[in-house]
Amino acid sequence: MEGQGLPRSVLFACTHNAIRSPMAAELMRLQFGSLVRVDSVGIRPAEEVSAMAAFVLDEKGGDIAKRRPKGLDAFGEYYEEGPFDLIVSLSPEAHHTMLDLIPALGAEAEYWPTFDPSLAEGSREQVLMEYRQVRDGLARRISQRFPRPSTG
């Protein structure tokens, strides 16, 4: 899929669906709106989305505060909209799991190693800086990986 046009659908996957994958999905929505069907999933979903992830996305106009982490059971055998064109895994565990789901859940898979900012230590501001670095890194990767559609 590298070098091809914008996919119609992308699923971002990480371990808990609380930080990295919801951030990436929301950043993709911010860049491409309804042009791409975007979702996110966790291998072992958390109870809620990280408040710090929601905070740093809010700084860029994104909103994940009300989203609820979901697991693979949300994409059951009868997933209405069909498989995704691309699954982007952001953690090693997610990548290993997602590779086993090609082609049922997605046509192709890519691995974007992404630091888990919940492991950051220090003051609130130092931890927020780590979340911002993850956010900005994901935004850069999305911009570099996915071409902007020509406006004509």
Side-chain angles (χ1 to χ4, degrees), residues 1 85-89 95 98-99 102 106-111:
M1 181 161 271
D85 291 336
L86 178 64
I87 297 173
V88 177
S89 302
H95 190 58
M98 293 317 211
L99 285 176
I102 301 297
E108 294 186 47
E110 292 179 8
Y111 177 43

Side-chain angles (χ1 to χ4, degrees), residues 80-148:
E80 295 172 7
E81 298 180 64
F84 291 86
D85 291 336
L86 178 64
I87 297 173
V88 177
S89 302
L90 305 171
S91 71
E93 182 181 4
H95 190 58
H96 292 299
T97 300
M98 293 317 211
L99 285 176
D100 289 338
L101 296 174
I102 301 297
L105 187 57
E108 294 186 47
E110 292 179 8
Y111 177 43
W112 299 358
T114 304
F115 175 69
D116 179 356
S118 70
L119 301 174
E121 297 180 351
S123 69
R124 183 178 193 281
E125 195 53 42
Q126 289 169 320
V127 172
L128 278 172
M129 187 174 67
E130 294 292 340
Y131 277 78
R132 288 180 183 115
Q133 286 181 337
V134 168
R135 175 201 65 202
D136 295 346
L138 287 168
R140 263 191 313 280
R141 185 77 189 250
I142 289 166
S143 292
Q144 291 167 355
R145 170 61 181 85
F146 302 110
R148 292 234 177 253

Side-chain angles (χ1 to χ4, degrees), residues 4-54:
Q4 294 181 3
L6 185 66
R8 291 169 310 194
S9 57
V10 177
L11 177 65
F12 289 96
C14 68
T15 307
H16 301 294
N17 194 222
I19 301 171
R20 293 169 286 182
S21 57
M23 285 175 71
E26 184 67 6
L27 290 164
M28 186 88 177
R29 285 184 198 98
L30 287 172
Q31 287 193 34
F32 295 102
S34 63
L35 292 175
V36 180
R37 174 173 58 105
V38 180
D39 213 331
S40 66
V41 67
I43 305 310
R44 292 178 283 116
E47 292 295 316
E48 58 189 24
V49 168
S50 159
M52 288 205 175

